[in-house]
Amino acid sequence: MNDLSLVQQYLLCAVSDGGKLTSLHSERMICFLAGGLLTLELAGCVAAEGKKKVSATAPLPEGLAYLRPMYDFIVKKGPVAAEKVAEEFYSGMTSKKFDQLFNAVGESLAALGLAEAAGPGLLGGRKSFKPVGKAVDQVVETLRAELLEDAPITEDAAALAVLLDQGGCIKAYFSPYEQKSIREKLKALSKSETGKLVEDMMYFVEDLVSVMAALTVLNGM
């Protein structure tokens, strides 16, 4: 599962039993968007400027074509605040742009045989992508090996742990004791070069969740 991008791994773990992301779990939707941004950053396609704004720095790799809607928005508007990118794609259940991005990432998983696509029905909109086989187990076990055992911790694994934690998904896969251990492991990384990136990602996701949650309340969603 190491060939999957951060946002692909997150989507497999974050969807409901029916393969959906809805405004009933807004934090998961916001973390999905954060996952898209972090995937682009880890791939070197975009860079954060002073932790506030992002801009395109390189062409989008063919393997990340499913993130084209987000990448093109950054190219067009950049440098642009990260929360503005998230706001562009998030407006609860009615966001056509969120549906477009979600469907694109989901279809990339379906093409790999890791998810089963369904919907969206006569009116279009967001499809469902239900993970198949042991797709989720493989992602979780790889994450467990890196964060709870002695395997080297990659940037992707650290970022995935942060997203699952902030999205409220982590409790479905790890016991309270394991969750505590993971948080402690990530905190201990702060003294290393990788840890500095982890710390930045934690603040980035926390800020994004906070900003978008406030926007949701203001919009009455």
Side-chain angles (χ1 to χ4, degrees):
M1 304 301 284
N2 291 335
D3 292 336
L4 295 182
S5 71
L6 170 62
V7 71
Q8 286 176 316
Q9 293 180 69
Y10 175 78
L11 185 58
L12 282 172
C13 296
V15 292
S16 66
D17 290 342
K20 297 179 179 295
L21 277 184
T22 73
S23 56
L24 293 176
H25 298 96
S26 58
E27 294 87 355
R28 297 190 183 194
M29 294 175 66
I30 296 165
C31 284
F32 169 72
L33 297 174
L37 282 168
L38 289 172
T39 298
L40 291 173
E41 184 173 3
L42 289 170
C45 303
V46 304
E49 300 180 4
K51 300 181 183 179
K52 294 292 184 180
K53 294 185 177 182
V54 294
S55 58
T57 55
L60 183 71
E62 184 178 343
L64 295 181
Y66 46 83
L67 291 177
R68 172 66 62 185
M70 180 175 281
Y71 176 80
D72 284 351
F73 178 77
I74 294 171
V75 170
K76 181 179 179 180
K77 299 290 186 180
V80 59
E83 60 263 28
K84 289 296 183 182
V85 179
E87 183 178 339
E88 176 73 10
F89 287 86
Y90 177 75
S91 60
M93 294 183 69
T94 61
S95 175
K96 292 182 179 179
K97 290 188 176 181
F98 183 95
D99 294 348
Q100 181 185 19
L101 190 66
F102 177 80
N103 290 348
V105 177
E107 290 289 1
S108 74
L109 292 169
L112 293 171
L114 299 175
E116 185 178 78
L122 295 176
L123 298 179
R126 196 175 312 162
K127 298 182 181 180
S128 63
F129 295 94
K130 187 174 181 179
V132 299
K134 295 186 177 181
V136 176
D137 290 343
Q138 291 176 6
V139 171
V140 172
E141 290 310 310
T142 299
L143 186 61
R144 176 175 280 108
E146 291 197 34
L147 294 178
L148 296 176
E149 299 175 14
D150 295 327
I153 301 175
T154 62
E155 295 174 346
D156 278 49
L160 180 58
V162 171
L163 291 173
L164 292 177
D165 190 24
Q166 290 295 314
C169 313
I170 200 168
K171 59 186 177 182
Y173 305 109
F174 297 94
S175 69
Y177 173 78
E178 289 175 324
Q179 292 173 49
K180 181 180 178 182
S181 297
I182 288 172
R183 294 185 185 110
E184 290 175 349
K185 188 76 170 283
L186 292 175
K187 187 176 180 180
L189 279 173
S190 61
K191 297 180 181 180
S192 69
E193 198 170 308
T194 300
K196 181 63 170 65
L197 177 64
V198 173
E199 186 176 39
D200 288 347
M201 286 189 293
M202 290 177 69
Y203 286 129
F204 169 76
V205 176
E206 287 174 0
D207 287 348
L208 199 57
V209 170
S210 178
V211 169
M212 298 309 295
L215 178 66
T216 299
V217 172
L218 287 174
N219 290 341
M221 296 174 190

